[in-house]
Amino acid sequence: ERRTLPSGSFAVLAALAANATAYTDNTVSADSEYEYRVRAVGALGETDYSDVAWVTTAEAAFAAPIWSYLHAGADGSDDLVGGVAVGPDTHPVVTGSSYSLIGQFDYLTTKLDRATAVEQWTSRHDGDQNDVDMGRSITVDHDNSVIVSGDSLMYNYPVGNNNNIYTIKYEPTTGQAQWGVSFDGPASDDDRATAVAVTPALDGSGYTVIGYGKNTDWDNDLYVLRYDENGAQVWGATPFDGGVLGDDVPMGVGFDIFGDVYVAGYTQGSG
């Protein structure tokens, strides 16, 4: 049974088959309030009514997107998004990874016109081993320079090929790479970025990258790296190890007005 609030009376809405456990009411109106109750009927009579369930309905209207943009790689395989950022010029820049039949995944970064979605530039990065390069995160600086960080399978002497955190800075109007820097962790094994952010102007030292990589116990430690605007590493925090044989992985980074860095993520504990 159903009644319309605030002053309606309960009336039978439907009689369901035996053992029914669900019912969908398709006769409601938008922006209305209803109460429902049920009872069972059998050979021995009727049960008491259930507790009353109250619902309200709303008609949601969503504006259609002004535009949408679709990238389908020329090799017809996977194209994955890593992030999107917007700088002072208000044009969005998207980064991610695009599969190439001749070299696995490459970083793919594209700047779009905010009004028309027309590509202003596109830049592709293939690492030194022509192997898997995954663009994970993006930020845009005060001068509209684009900074992308991710992980690239690179050659690390004498260990061999392993993932490094690889960060690139792109010129804002042409997408030309201005510099690229690699970080190979203490164990030289499977280092990956999760986020990159512009450091506040008060600190004045460029960009902060967070990520993680394997230690000698074969679990992940958390990294925090600071680069200046020319790509030189200013400092790297001591890798954070939670103290147990488990992974420590950062997920987000923020700053206060003094340039202090705050990192949030997860750590695997013993409990």
Side-chain angles (χ1 to χ4, degrees), residues 34-55:
Y34 298 95
E35 286 185 337
Y36 295 86
R37 64 184 185 184
V38 298
R39 66 177 175 180
V41 179
L44 299 179
E46 301 171 340
T47 66
D48 293 334
Y49 283 107
S50 67
D51 292 336
V52 171
W54 171 85
V55 299

Side-chain angles (χ1 to χ4, degrees), residues 211-229:
Y212 60 95
K214 298 295 184 187
N215 59 29
T216 54
D217 292 322
W218 198 248
D219 56 73
N220 289 310
D221 288 348
L222 181 154
Y223 302 145
V224 184
L225 310 170
R226 176 69 57 81
Y227 297 100
D228 68 18
E229 293 189 346

Side-chain angles (χ1 to χ4, degrees), residues 55-219:
V55 299
T56 183
T57 60
E59 185 174 8
F62 301 97
I66 296 173
W67 53 257
S68 62
Y69 170 82
L70 175 68
H71 173 82
D75 289 340
S77 191
D78 290 340
D79 302 291
L80 309 175
V81 68
V84 60
V86 180
D89 65 5
T90 72
H91 296 300
V93 193
V94 182
T95 199
S97 309
S98 180
Y99 191 84
S100 167
L101 294 179
I102 61 172
Q104 302 284 342
F105 282 99
D106 298 332
Y107 288 24
L108 184 72
T109 305
T110 300
K111 186 170 186 176
L112 304 172
D113 184 278
R114 69 179 302 272
T116 64
V118 171
E119 292 183 13
Q120 295 188 359
W121 54 260
T122 294
S123 183
R124 194 175 187 108
H125 169 72
D126 184 11
D128 63 4
Q129 298 302 298
N130 191 33
D131 211 304
V132 177
D133 307 287
M134 304 296 290
R136 305 284 188 185
S137 57
I138 187 171
T139 190
V140 180
D141 204 347
H142 60 88
D143 64 355
N144 296 304
S145 295
V146 176
I147 302 89
V148 172
S149 195
D151 37 270
S152 177
L153 190 67
M154 305 181 70
Y155 179 74
N156 300 310
Y157 178 84
V159 177
N161 291 351
N162 283 296
N163 283 316
N164 287 2
I165 294 175
Y166 195 78
T167 305
I168 307 175
K169 182 176 182 178
Y170 294 105
E171 196 277 332
T173 58
T174 66
Q176 181 70 32
Q178 296 180 298
W179 49 258
V181 292
S182 175
F183 175 79
D184 183 21
S188 192
D189 194 1
D190 202 17
D191 304 307
R192 301 173 186 266
T194 55
V196 59
V198 177
T199 306
L202 183 63
D203 182 89
S205 49
Y207 317 109
T208 300
V209 176
I210 60 172
Y212 60 95
K214 298 295 184 187
N215 59 29
T216 54
D217 292 322
W218 198 248
D219 56 73

Side-chain angles (χ1 to χ4, degrees), residues 17-39:
N19 300 317
T21 59
Y23 174 75
T24 301
D25 183 3
N26 294 316
T27 64
V28 297
S29 300
D31 300 316
S32 300
E33 295 181 89
Y34 298 95
E35 286 185 337
Y36 295 86
R37 64 184 185 184
V38 298
R39 66 177 175 180

